[in-house]
Structure formats: C-alpha cells, structure tokens
Amino acid sequence: MALLLIVVPVVLMHWARGISRLSLPSGQTSACDERTQRKQEEREEFLSYVWGISLALLLTVEPFALIYWFPGIPRFPLLLFIGVLALVQILVHFRFFLHIGFKQKREDLQLLLFSALLLTIMVAGTIWIMASLAQRMAMPT
C-alpha cells in the first residue's frame, strides 16, 4: 500500500509531462500564427497548474489518509515515508508552480539557494525559540 502511495504520484507526474508534450508538438508550432501559439502556451501553463495542484493535494492527503486508515504503522517508517512525500511535494512545487526544471539556469540556482537560506533561517529560528521556551518553562526536553 505504501509503495502504491509513492508510485501513483510519480506516474501522474510523468503522465502530466506527456500531456504537456502532446499539447505543444514541435512540428506544428512553426505553421501556427502568433495568437494560436500564445493560446497553446496559455493552455499548457494552465494544464501545468492543474496537474501541480492535483499532485500537491494528493501528496498532502496521502499522509493524513495513511495515519487515519492505518494507525498501527510503526512510528519511524511512517515518519520516513511522510518525509519522502514532503520531498516529492517540494519537487512538484518546483516543477509545476515555479517552473524550475532539471536544466538549471543561473537565476534558478540563485532562487533555490535563497529559498534554502530562508527555510534554514525559519526552521533554525523556530527550533531555537521553542527550545528556549521549553527551558524557561522548565519543561522536559
């Protein structure tokens, strides 16, 4: 069941890429006028957003469904699986919403590094504040 929950989003992602390629064939774009080409690009972008939100929702619902329907799963593998789903969801957001592919450009690299820096600051700051609060409240850590 857990393997199915991993495989389904990956298959959907490949399927979405196939649909995107089908919607913009390379041989026909040279014959199309500017307006038709613009409509195709808008349609492709809309499909990208639809697939992105679908995959993001699926990857969000999966951990909740897993916890709700299978409460007996050991804690560590469950947390590991949820972490993997979170990483896949980050990739989905990069691909479908930020339009960052595997072919890196210089601006994309700067965007990724800045995002990683912001996330690191937020996570480290949150952990630091919560640990300090727990220490001041004399809570067991």
Side-chain angles (χ1 to χ4, degrees):
M1 181 67 182
L3 183 62
L4 184 65
L5 292 176
I6 291 174
V7 169
V8 168
V10 172
V11 169
L12 287 176
M13 216 158 83
H14 282 289
W15 190 42
R17 283 186 186 160
I19 285 177
S20 296
R21 287 183 191 141
L22 287 177
S23 65
L24 189 59
S26 62
Q28 295 178 352
T29 56
S30 62
C32 294
D33 62 336
E34 179 106 3
R35 188 173 175 199
T36 305
Q37 188 175 7
R38 183 187 262 314
K39 281 187 177 183
Q40 270 188 316
E41 289 174 359
E42 288 175 356
R43 184 173 184 266
E44 181 182 327
E45 188 172 337
F46 178 73
L47 282 175
S48 173
Y49 283 120
V50 168
W51 279 106
I53 191 72
S54 301
L55 289 174
L57 284 175
L58 183 67
L59 289 169
T60 301
V61 169
E62 279 182 39
F64 288 106
L66 198 63
I67 289 173
Y68 183 75
W69 284 318
F70 304 104
I73 296 177
R75 186 181 175 109
F76 181 71
L78 181 66
L79 290 177
L80 189 65
F81 182 70
I82 291 173
V84 169
L85 288 180
L87 290 176
V88 171
Q89 187 157 17
I90 288 172
L91 293 177
V92 166
H93 282 257
F94 279 151
R95 167 69 177 87
F96 290 104
F97 299 123
L98 298 175
H99 303 288
I100 297 173
F102 292 112
K103 296 177 180 175
Q104 294 291 324
K105 294 181 217 167
R106 185 83 174 161
E107 299 86 26
D108 294 343
L109 180 63
Q110 291 174 350
L111 174 70
L112 289 174
L113 290 175
F114 184 69
S115 299
L117 176 68
L118 285 180
L119 284 174
T120 303
I121 290 171
M122 288 189 332
V123 169
T126 301
I127 291 172
W128 181 30
I129 289 171
M130 295 306 281
S132 175
L133 184 64
Q135 187 179 20
R136 290 181 190 185
M137 299 293 289
M139 296 176 68
T141 55

